[in-house]
Amino acid sequence: MRRSNQEIRKSIFDAVSKIVKEHGFSKLSIPLISEESGVQPNVISRRFNNLDDIIEQYVERFDFWLTYFPEDRKSPNTRVAFQNSLEDILDIAWKKREIQRLLSWELADRSSLTMAVTQRREEALDNLLSNYDKFFNGSSIDLRAVSSILISSIYYLSGFQDKSTFCGVNMKGPEGNLIVSDTLKKIVNWAFDDLEKVKEKEMARKLLNKGYPIEDIMEITGLYENEIERE
């Protein structure tokens, strides 16, 4: 029975997905996709310009990056919302073999296609982090640097979940996921705690300049005397 255009495209993308999961993006080829999908190479060539076109549409079809950060989160500037965003990234990177393969391929092949995919992810991350930039101005914490370390760690560690330990931590199965998730939350708390302390110090300085006793300021803010700065 003759397949519809929609069925043919689905067969092609299903084949791409299977090949990527098993062998990675670097092993993709039109002959291999044809063999796996049962779609003749000339039929594939009529629907796609070349292999890069297939890969680009595959990546866009599964919307790898843009759906990581839902726009409908409430209170997008809270630490909980930020932790949830990192949890989303961890969950997807940990579960989706395609994501792990894509990240490895990007590092190995710096082509115009991988650069375009990387740029789309960077735009999505920039959109997420821009919600927090203004809150961390004046803080000793560079949230973007912290985020780059955390997210790159998620990407890297997700590839170890079926392999071995890393720095003595067992990355296999849900145990490793829980360890990483819990540690992410602790690091985010550290960053936001530092932010809150900056605000407390600013308030303490203003109170001190207005003549409030330092003992009262310490009680109100929870700061130690040596943490209260004088102008």
Side-chain angles (χ1 to χ4, degrees), residues 66-76 81 84-85 88 127 131:
L66 302 183
T67 56
Y68 279 17
F69 319 117
E71 296 179 356
D72 60 350
R73 286 203 191 284
K74 296 180 180 179
S75 303
N84 288 341
S85 294
D88 287 346
N127 182 58
N131 292 320

Side-chain angles (χ1 to χ4, degrees), residues 2-231:
R2 186 174 180 178
R3 289 185 284 182
S4 67
N5 287 332
Q6 184 176 0
E7 289 171 333
I8 290 173
R9 287 181 64 85
K10 183 179 185 303
S11 295
I12 292 171
F13 286 126
D14 285 348
V16 171
S17 183
K18 183 177 180 181
I19 296 166
V20 165
K21 288 178 182 178
E22 294 179 356
H23 306 291
F25 280 83
S26 62
K27 297 296 183 182
L28 282 173
S29 67
I30 289 180
L32 186 56
I33 294 171
S34 173
E35 179 183 345
E36 187 65 45
S37 65
V39 179
Q40 293 300 313
N42 64 318
V43 176
I44 295 175
S45 297
R46 287 201 298 267
R47 285 164 172 77
F48 301 93
N49 296 327
N50 48 40
L51 180 61
D52 280 359
D53 188 28
I54 295 174
I55 296 173
E56 186 170 8
Q57 291 193 41
Y58 172 75
V59 172
E60 291 178 352
R61 182 171 180 258
F62 288 91
D63 215 9
F64 281 143
W65 311 114
L66 302 183
T67 56
Y68 279 17
F69 319 117
E71 296 179 356
D72 60 350
R73 286 203 191 284
K74 296 180 180 179
S75 303
N77 58 336
T78 66
R79 72 171 70 197
V80 173
F82 190 75
Q83 288 172 338
N84 288 341
S85 294
L86 293 180
E87 285 286 331
D88 287 346
I89 299 172
L90 174 63
D91 186 58
I92 294 173
W94 208 267
K95 289 179 179 178
K96 287 189 175 292
R97 187 64 171 166
E98 303 97 314
I99 297 293
Q100 298 162 24
R101 291 295 195 182
L102 181 58
L103 292 166
S104 297
W105 177 54
E106 288 174 12
L107 291 173
D109 180 15
R110 302 302 290 172
S111 65
S112 59
L113 177 56
T114 58
M115 291 294 288
V117 173
T118 302
Q119 182 59 36
R120 282 201 295 272
R121 184 187 321 121
E122 178 62 15
E123 290 170 358
L125 288 169
D126 184 70
N127 182 58
L128 167 70
L129 296 173
S130 63
N131 292 320
Y132 301 89
D133 286 337
K134 61 183 178 182
F135 298 99
F136 279 82
N137 286 341
S139 168
S140 62
I141 298 297
D142 186 331
L143 187 66
R144 287 183 177 256
V146 172
S147 300
S148 69
I149 293 171
L150 294 181
I151 295 172
S152 62
S153 298
I154 290 172
Y155 292 159
Y156 188 75
L157 292 176
S158 65
F160 273 83
Q161 59 182 290
D162 298 322
K163 295 181 180 179
S164 67
T165 61
F166 189 84
C167 292
V169 179
N170 187 353
M171 290 294 134
K172 293 183 179 180
E175 178 186 353
N177 183 286
L178 290 173
I179 291 172
V180 174
S181 175
D182 182 60
T183 304
L184 284 173
K185 290 178 181 177
K186 290 177 180 177
I187 295 174
V188 171
N189 283 333
W190 161 72
F192 277 81
D193 285 344
D194 185 85
L195 172 63
E196 292 178 1
K197 180 154 287 191
V198 168
K199 293 180 178 178
E200 290 169 353
K201 287 181 178 180
E202 183 179 347
M203 180 178 68
R205 185 170 58 251
K206 290 179 179 179
L207 291 173
L208 190 64
N209 291 335
K210 288 184 177 181
Y212 282 80
I214 195 167
E215 292 79 8
D216 292 346
I217 298 173
M218 291 167 58
E219 182 178 353
I220 293 170
T221 62
L223 296 172
Y224 294 106
E225 184 174 356
N226 61 356
E227 294 179 305
I228 300 174
E229 301 175 3
R230 300 176 184 270
E231 287 187 348

